[in-house]
Structures are given as C-alpha cells and as structure tokens.
Amino acid sequence: MTEEVKLKLVETPNNYSGKVEMIRAILEDVKKKKCKHYKQFGKFKKINTCTKGIINALNAVSVCSMVTTFMPVSSWIMYIALGCTSVSSVTYAVCSSIDIEGKVHSHNTSYLQYTDLYRDVSARLLRNGMSSPDLDNLLAEINARIGLIEDNSLPIKY
C-alpha cells in the first residue's frame, strides 16, 4: 500500500460512538413498542375475560330458565330464556368476528419477542471488547429481528 492509502485508513473514523448511540436509540424504540404491546395485551385480555364471563352467565341463566319451563310456571320464564340465549348468541358472534383472542395472543407474542430482543441486545452492548464490525453485525441482526417481529405483529398506536 502507498503511504497515502495507509494515512486514509488511519484517519477514517469507524464511527464507533455513532453506532453505539444508534443501537441505544433503537433499544429505546424497542422498549416503547414492548410497553405498548403489553398495554394492548392487558386491555384485550380484560375485554376477553369479561366477555367470556358475560356469555357464560347468560348461558347459565338461559339453561336454568329452560329447565324451569317444564314446571307449571308463568310464561315470562320463556321470555327470559329466549332473551338470554339471543344476547349470548349475538355477543359470541361479535366476539368471534372481532377475534379478541387472536389480538390477545398477537400482542402477547409481540411483547415477549420485543422483551427478548431488548434483553439480548442490552446484554451484548454492555459486553466489553466489541469492535466496529461487531456493532455492524449487531445492527444488522437487530434490524432483521425487528423486521420479523413487525411482520407478524398487529399495529400499535403511539
């Protein structure tokens, strides 16, 4: 090599601190996404639990009302059974079409994947002796993993 090329190689910054800052900025974004997915998971889990409880209660009232129709009582028990069955059926149909359980599962999976990514990259970033090419490889891996997570997760609002 000529003296000029050697001098350029020595003077060219490897942008080590810029890469570290970029990784930290990406980690902050991952942390925000992780928290958002966890909030969405909690919200949809509560909705799913409440909806299932309401459907089960309506079904129980409906079955009890139907059983009591075999006894000589007034006809309003039939109306109660019919109403509970109808409301239960409609509620179940709406819940099935909205797919609340799928949303619960998707947000939980995204939360766990972002948590794993955050923990892994944070630990590797704190490791001593990472060179600039190691940081390049880490950035490429982070981008690939985020791409996979985002391809399979539901969108979230910020």
Side-chain angles (χ1 to χ4, degrees), residues 76-132:
W76 62 273
I77 293 178
M78 280 292 267
Y79 295 124
I80 291 174
L82 181 63
C84 288
T85 303
S86 300
V87 172
S88 174
S89 299
V90 170
T91 306
Y92 180 76
V94 168
C95 289
S96 294
S97 66
I98 294 174
D99 191 28
I100 294 175
E101 285 189 41
K103 291 178 182 180
V104 169
H105 177 70
S106 177
H107 285 296
N108 186 35
T109 301
S110 296
Y111 163 72
L112 292 174
Q113 289 174 336
Y114 278 122
T115 300
D116 182 48
L117 176 65
Y118 185 82
R119 184 176 38 245
D120 181 39
V121 172
S122 295
R124 288 167 66 181
L125 190 60
L126 291 176
R127 188 176 71 193
N128 291 330
M130 288 189 80
S131 64
S132 185

Side-chain angles (χ1 to χ4, degrees), residues 8 16 47 59 67 93 100 105-106 126 141 145 155:
K8 280 189 175 182
Y16 188 86
I47 291 170
N59 286 338
V67 168
I100 294 175
H105 177 70
S106 177
L126 291 176
E141 182 184 333
R145 287 175 70 179

Side-chain angles (χ1 to χ4, degrees), residues 23-33 118:
I23 291 172
R24 290 188 185 186
I26 291 171
L27 280 177
E28 283 303 312
D29 189 45
V30 165
K31 187 176 181 180
K32 288 177 187 174
K33 288 179 181 180
Y118 185 82

